[in-house]
Amino acid sequence: MSFKMYVPTKLLFGVGKLNELSKEKMPGKKAMIVISNGKSTRANGYLDRTQEQLKLAGAEFAVFDKVEPNPLHTTVMAGAAFARENGCDFIVALGGGSVMDASKAMAAMATNDGTLWDYVVGGTGKGKDLVNKPLPLIAITTTAGTGSEVDEYGVVTNSETKEKIGFGGMEELFPVLAIVDPELMTTVPPKYTAYQGFDALFHSTETYIANCASLVSDMVALTAIENVAKYLPRAVKDGKDIEAREHVAFGNTMSGYSMVTGSCTSEHSLEHAMSAYHQELPHGAGLIMISLAYYEHFINEHVCDERFVKMAQVMGMEDASKPDDFLTALKKLQKDCGVDELKMSDYGINPQEFKTLAENAKYTMGGLFTMDRCDLSVDDCVAIYEKSYK
């Protein structure tokens, strides 16, 4: 019955909310606007609109536009240096999960010495405490995938050591303001809408079966699962379906709250190892690839049968009565979203590296394995990869 809940981020949710940024108190005088290294933020006018809002609020800005999918440690350090060189005293993250994750790490490194890996916990990270307070952060999400707009974590890849690790966990890395405007998500292509939506879904399915689940984490996780499962196929089919976009965006934000009130499990560790070694693999796609085998493992272990039944029910199988019904619901959702035929081999992943990936997952993000309801060994991880391989 016990739980802890602390989410200090002010949230503006709804169509048109980007237009209200200028009405909010800015946490500094000059922003570093962080965007991806792609073209969409500029092409769709979101950068121009954000800059106009900052001007109306009386804030200056400089743009850092180098964040890649699965953001790199080197990019984080370049962004931190850019913030210092340009005299930026707060950050505006304008983009998807990669941009928001990278921005949190940049906020920390803009005010602290050394490299990010001095402060990362896990793998080769040195686990030091931050000495100075990070720059304040405003998060404006243009996708519905990570919930990073309302949590205090970011995931960064060290390409030299093949480590993809979550960084953060301290109060100062919560965004001070988050804007979730579903209108900004209508231009996301169908396949990425699906990848991102499943990332949000799995944040919450993992939270719901984690051994630290509580009344409050159950509440937000089930709400996220229900909204994503019901509306994601519509958003994939028609990106302009604003009702579907609203509900998927809401489910995504709830998935962020689920991680604040609970925790992901080892599924995320297993995928982080995959994309650490294969930079071009979208995180959500990797999760989809391993999901059926992953959840089947825990269903076979009967660690929380009633929870799998409940998830199947909120995913639309009202008459679900056995744990396997969750797999049926998950297969249907993947098929409805056109992602049921994703192949590891299309991204260069081969069975010979499964043990390496499993060991990497346990070494770099072993903490999430402690959230599982039963022990997942290296051999178990290899078996999940093998069963997922196409």
Side-chain angles (χ1 to χ4, degrees):
M1 295 288 287
S2 63
F3 62 84
K4 178 177 70 174
M5 184 172 182
Y6 179 69
V7 189
T9 302
K10 182 176 183 178
L11 174 65
L12 303 183
F13 184 99
V15 173
K17 288 298 182 181
L18 176 58
N19 301 330
E20 298 181 17
L21 173 61
S22 59
K23 300 176 184 178
E24 299 297 318
K25 182 180 179 181
M26 295 296 104
K29 296 181 178 180
K30 185 173 183 180
M32 176 171 76
I33 305 175
V34 180
I35 62 175
S36 75
N37 60 3
K39 300 177 181 178
S40 62
T41 309
R42 284 191 168 94
N44 294 320
Y46 304 153
L47 178 60
D48 286 344
R49 289 176 60 188
T50 301
Q51 290 174 326
E52 181 61 28
Q53 286 294 307
L54 289 173
K55 288 178 183 176
L56 291 172
E60 299 180 60
F61 52 81
V63 178
F64 182 82
D65 59 358
K66 304 187 185 306
V67 177
E68 56 277 288
N70 296 317
L72 297 174
H73 170 246
T74 50
T75 305
V76 166
M77 296 309 301
F82 182 93
R84 291 192 298 270
E85 291 163 4
N86 286 273
C88 299
D89 56 1
F90 72 106
I91 294 176
V92 174
L94 175 65
S98 295
V99 167
M100 292 185 287
D101 284 9
S103 293
K104 292 173 188 175
M106 291 175 192
M109 294 316 303
T111 58
N112 286 277
D113 295 331
T115 73
L116 179 65
W117 242 246
D118 291 332
Y119 306 97
V120 163
V121 177
T124 62
K126 295 180 181 178
K128 294 181 179 179
D129 292 330
L130 294 176
V131 175
N132 301 312
K133 187 176 180 180
L135 296 181
L137 172 69
I138 294 174
I140 305 171
T141 181
T142 60
T143 67
T146 68
S148 190
E149 66 272 13
V150 293
D151 74 23
E152 74 277 40
Y153 291 98
V155 177
V156 178
T157 298
N158 187 330
S159 57
E160 294 180 1
T161 59
K162 302 297 184 184
E163 295 174 304
K164 184 178 179 182
I165 302 180
F167 164 77
M170 63 281 297
E171 176 182 333
E172 293 81 6
L173 287 179
F174 277 103
V176 296
L177 172 68
I179 294 179
V180 181
D181 186 340
E183 189 177 58
L184 307 185
M185 302 169 189
T186 58
T187 54
V188 179
K191 71 175 182 179
Y192 288 105
T193 296
Y195 296 164
Q196 293 154 7
F198 273 96
D199 186 14
L201 179 80
F202 293 137
H203 284 153
S204 291
T205 54
E206 290 174 45
T207 295
Y208 193 63
I209 67 167
N211 59 27
C212 62
S214 68
L215 289 173
V216 69
S217 67
D218 286 354
M219 176 182 69
V220 292
L222 288 173
T223 299
I225 294 166
E226 181 178 18
N227 279 269
V228 173
K230 183 175 181 179
Y231 289 95
L232 183 59
R234 281 175 50 180
V236 171
K237 182 179 180 181
D238 178 9
K240 302 297 183 183
D241 183 339
I242 198 64
E243 182 186 34
R245 290 290 189 185
E246 285 175 327
H247 280 275
V248 175
F250 177 66
N252 173 62
T253 299
M254 290 301 103
S255 80
Y257 289 141
S258 74
M259 290 183 289
V260 175
T261 58
S263 175
C264 287
T265 61
S266 57
E267 183 183 18
H268 263 70
S269 301
L270 292 175
E271 197 295 314
H272 285 169
M274 293 163 65
S275 47
Y277 279 83
H278 299 274
Q279 176 71 16
E280 299 307 311
L281 173 65
H283 174 55
L287 288 169
I288 293 167
M289 291 173 187
I290 63 173
S291 60
L292 291 169
Y294 179 83
Y295 290 105
E296 184 178 21
H297 175 88
F298 290 97
I299 287 172
N300 290 340
E301 293 291 330
H302 298 287
V303 292
C304 55
D305 288 355
E306 73 289 347
R307 287 180 173 264
F308 283 106
V309 173
K310 183 63 176 178
M311 287 193 294
Q313 291 171 346
V314 300
M315 289 176 72
M317 291 185 66
E318 295 180 3
D319 59 348
S321 60
K322 58 186 185 300
D324 284 352
D325 289 336
F326 172 74
L327 298 178
T328 301
L330 184 56
K331 288 177 185 176
K332 181 180 186 302
L333 183 60
Q334 292 181 359
K335 185 174 183 179
D336 289 347
C337 293
V339 294
D340 54 321
E341 295 297 329
L342 289 174
K343 297 179 180 179
M344 288 187 186
S345 56
D346 286 345
Y347 292 90
I349 301 172
N350 65 77
Q352 288 71 39
E353 60 185 310
F354 287 161
K355 186 175 182 181
T356 298
L357 296 180
E359 290 174 343
N360 177 282
K362 298 273 279 189
Y363 174 63
T364 58
M365 293 201 66
L368 293 186
F369 283 83
T370 68
M371 298 294 105
D372 295 335
R373 288 181 183 254
C374 63
D375 181 60
L376 198 67
S377 68
V378 169
D379 288 343
D380 291 331
C381 296
V382 171
I384 290 170
Y385 286 138
E386 289 176 342
K387 191 159 189 177
S388 304
Y389 185 75
K390 295 177 185 178

